[in-house]
Amino acid sequence: MTAGGPEVVRTVADLRAQVRAWRRESLRIGLVPTMGALHEGHLSLVDASMRDCDRTVVSIFVNPTQFGPNEDFDSYPRGEADDLAKLAGRGAHLAFAPNRNEVYADGFATTVTVTGVSEGLCSVTRPHFFQGVATVVTKLLLQCLPDRAYFGEKDYQQLQVIRRLARDLDIPVEIVGAPTVREADGLAMSSRNAYLSPENRLQAPVLYRTMCAVADALRQGEAIKAVLDRGRRALAEAGFEPVDYLEVREAGTLAPVADAWNPATPARIFAAAWLGETRLIDNIPVAANS
Ligand code: AMP
């Protein structure tokens, strides 16, 4: 690490040279993939890697292939200097911040598609999304080849997609999931929260509160459909429009849970809904063991 912050590399060759040097010293390496605009959620992943590993690499790359044509790729918050200052505060060793051509060279023609866990939920309204994520994460894992890579449960479906691809493609990296970091009022931290108007920011915690109420009702044994209908109404009344989904799914397979919650099967509540121009997503376990 250079004084004042992590060293920054912009090419795969430089990343690999550094990782090779660490390997020669038998150091354990953690990777935290991000799109920058770092907040305490990202930094909790950095902290986890710093605890478990000898060296921590944080990638910062706003991946164009996971954005649809009408999505917010151009306006996505970017601020490398701020990000590097935050990483310096946590002691991260290396930032990998490639440009677009380094990741997607001319003629790039390969994609990674994960079936099963990538179906439903976010893929309904963002059909391009998981292929973009799976492709870039596969590349990042192979570029760095860390011992462990850290991802947030905040994007739980994404985490399951990444677990699946690492297993299926025999990528020798342990995928570690970390709990969602929330604001004091329950709103899950997200780079996109910066888009919320002051009024929307006040309404935003209703998403988490509604999921908590759904979880309570399911634990009481209420029928899932009635509980979710009530939850969707609560979101609509609080100004969420549209509600992309509010669903209960098995935690491992993400298979839909139809009738009533069964305490023997870990399950989670998943929600995605819009406030103004901002799409919020979140998820929580129905019970603590989920
Ligand atoms: P992003 O920069 O949004 O692609 O996120 C990079 C990583 O940070 C992903 O693994 C996310 O799941 C994780 N992450 C984002 N928000 C949070 C949060 N509030 N708590 C924990 N992890 C998060």
Side-chain angles (χ1 to χ4, degrees):
M1 188 170 64
T2 51
E7 192 179 327
V8 181
V9 292
R10 303 205 182 269
T11 66
V12 176
D14 285 348
L15 171 67
R16 286 191 168 142
Q18 179 60 82
V19 169
R20 247 193 328 269
W22 287 335
R23 289 257 175 249
R24 278 196 294 272
E25 297 175 63
S26 300
L27 296 172
R28 204 171 152 70
I29 298 157
L31 171 67
V32 180
T34 80
M35 298 206 300
L38 301 181
H39 50 64
E40 284 299 320
H42 299 113
L43 296 174
S44 74
L45 304 179
V46 174
D47 291 345
S49 172
M50 294 293 292
R51 275 195 303 272
D52 298 347
C53 303
D54 303 305
R55 293 290 181 272
T56 292
V57 180
V58 179
S59 63
I60 299 175
F61 179 62
V62 184
N63 175 37
T65 65
Q66 69 192 68
F67 289 79
N70 299 317
E71 294 184 354
D72 56 344
F73 175 71
D74 289 331
S75 58
Y76 195 84
R78 291 166 172 86
E80 190 177 286
D82 272 5
D83 288 342
L84 294 175
K86 288 175 185 162
L87 293 178
R90 304 305 174 105
H93 301 86
L94 189 71
F96 174 47
N99 68 27
R100 184 177 181 144
N101 265 353
E102 181 69 10
V103 180
Y104 298 110
D106 283 350
F108 189 88
T110 305
T111 52
V112 177
T113 304
V114 178
T115 57
V117 286
S118 69
E119 288 155 20
L121 300 175
C122 277
S123 67
V124 175
T125 53
R126 306 187 74 196
H128 51 278
F129 178 69
F130 287 116
Q131 189 176 76
V133 167
T135 302
V136 81
V137 170
T138 299
K139 285 170 65 69
L140 288 166
L141 294 176
L142 294 175
Q143 288 163 350
C144 183
L145 275 182
D147 296 281
R148 295 179 138 207
Y150 294 81
F151 299 89
E153 289 182 349
K154 158 75 168 46
D155 303 287
Y156 192 88
Q157 188 179 19
Q158 168 177 292
L159 171 62
Q160 297 307 88
V161 167
I162 291 163
R163 287 190 197 286
R164 189 75 253 167
L165 74 84
R167 229 177 281 147
D168 290 353
L169 299 178
D170 305 306
I171 300 177
V173 175
E174 186 184 345
I175 304 300
V176 182
T180 302
V181 178
R182 300 180 179 282
E183 304 285 358
D185 60 11
L187 175 65
M189 290 191 185
S190 164
S191 306
R192 289 190 169 100
N193 291 351
Y195 301 156
L196 290 167
S197 68
E199 187 199 348
N200 288 161
R201 177 63 190 84
L202 291 175
Q203 298 159 304
V206 173
L207 187 63
Y208 177 63
R209 285 211 292 276
T210 301
M211 291 193 307
C212 291
V214 167
D216 277 346
L218 295 179
R219 286 196 304 270
Q220 304 298 320
E222 280 193 53
I224 286 182
K225 184 176 178 316
V227 173
L228 293 180
D229 284 347
R230 197 160 71 229
R232 289 187 195 103
R233 277 199 304 278
L235 291 175
E237 276 161 25
F240 287 86
E241 165 61 29
V243 175
D244 283 352
Y245 58 79
L246 177 67
E247 291 190 35
V248 185
R249 299 238 170 174
E250 287 183 13
T253 61
L254 299 187
V257 179
D259 303 325
W261 174 62
N262 173 0
T265 309
R268 298 182 79 92
I269 298 155
F270 293 86
W274 291 79
L275 270 180
E277 301 296 302
T278 312
R279 181 174 181 271
L280 301 178
I281 71 167
D282 203 347
N283 70 93
I284 59 167
V286 176
N289 69 346
S290 295

